[in-house]
Amino acid sequence: VSKRGCFFRNARARNTHVESTLNHSVPAQALERMNSDGSAWNAAGTTFEERDMKSWCDDALKKHLKTAAANVDGCALLVTAVKNCKGEASIVVSRGRARHVFEYAADLAFEASFPAEPLPGPGPVTVKGTIHLPEISSTVNDGNYDSTVSRKPTSAKLSRPRTDALDAGIAKLQDMANRAIGDFVAEYQAKKLK
């Protein structure tokens, strides 16, 4: 018999020690690791992780951009199509925190419609154009995405009030496109890897 005694008698003491360790509450550091934004296999958040979100973001961004519309002084503007929507997106987890990264560019085809004015005024007029959004990016923090506008030539001559309404309507449509992108960003940032 050794100085420590019999192996079988000490086994009971070893099991008691294991049971007391298991009955302790979870330390705060372990809880913090469980609250990581990583996948289930990366619950501690200590491993760099990246998931491609391009397919989901392509669909979600187009869906949100199509909702942009405006109505100013009788000029109704709406997005008819989202064209050339190209980019990349991923969720990156580093040090337990997720970053929702994206970089896109898109063109919004729009129509601006004016109803007919009472005679002898002009009839109904539709003006078409495109809002170009060259940088829809997670690096833009203020929600003001740069955009430019191009209009297709129209045979109808617009009166001064209609021209002013069209210009104000396009500015409002650009604001609504920024708001739609903000809604996309909020939905994207709610996505988790788990």
Side-chain angles (χ1 to χ4, degrees):
V1 177
S2 70
K3 288 183 178 180
R4 295 183 188 166
C6 176
F7 173 80
F8 295 105
R9 278 188 269 170
N10 288 333
R12 184 173 186 179
R14 283 194 305 274
N15 287 341
T16 305
H17 171 71
V18 170
E19 288 173 8
S20 67
T21 305
L22 290 176
N23 288 331
H24 288 306
S25 62
V26 179
Q29 290 174 333
L31 281 176
E32 185 177 310
R33 279 186 255 129
M34 284 188 222
N35 291 332
S36 162
D37 288 333
S39 294
W41 64 267
N42 190 16
T46 56
T47 303
F48 178 85
E49 180 179 0
E50 182 174 12
R51 181 171 297 164
D52 182 22
M53 297 297 291
K54 180 180 175 10
S55 178
W56 183 90
C57 285
D58 285 352
D59 295 339
L61 182 58
K62 287 176 186 176
K63 174 187 80 171
H64 284 286
L65 287 173
K66 285 180 184 177
T67 65
N71 196 333
V72 176
D73 295 331
C75 177
L77 295 97
L78 61 106
V79 172
T80 57
V82 178
K83 299 178 179 180
N84 302 322
C85 186
K86 297 176 185 167
E88 298 294 326
S90 62
I91 298 177
V92 177
V93 177
S94 178
R95 297 183 181 170
R97 295 294 162 236
R99 290 180 309 163
H100 296 73
V101 181
F102 60 93
E103 180 77 37
Y104 276 87
D107 294 332
L108 308 180
F110 69 87
E111 282 187 3
S113 301
F114 291 95
E117 292 182 358
L119 292 176
V125 175
T126 300
V127 177
K128 295 182 179 184
T130 304
I131 297 175
H132 306 279
L133 295 159
E135 184 181 7
I136 304 170
S137 171
S138 54
T139 61
V140 176
N141 295 322
D142 61 1
N144 292 320
Y145 299 89
D146 291 334
S147 61
T148 58
V149 178
S150 61
R151 289 188 231 170
K152 292 185 179 177
T154 180
S155 59
K157 178 145 173 61
L158 296 177
S159 64
R160 187 69 187 155
R162 282 188 169 186
T163 301
D164 292 343
L166 179 61
D167 291 342
I170 290 172
K172 178 75 172 176
L173 188 61
Q174 288 173 295
D175 289 342
M176 297 310 290
N178 280 338
R179 188 173 294 175
I181 295 168
D183 293 343
F184 156 75
V185 170
E187 184 179 358
Y188 182 37
Q189 288 180 339
K191 297 288 284 178
K192 301 287 183 194
L193 291 180
K194 297 179 182 185

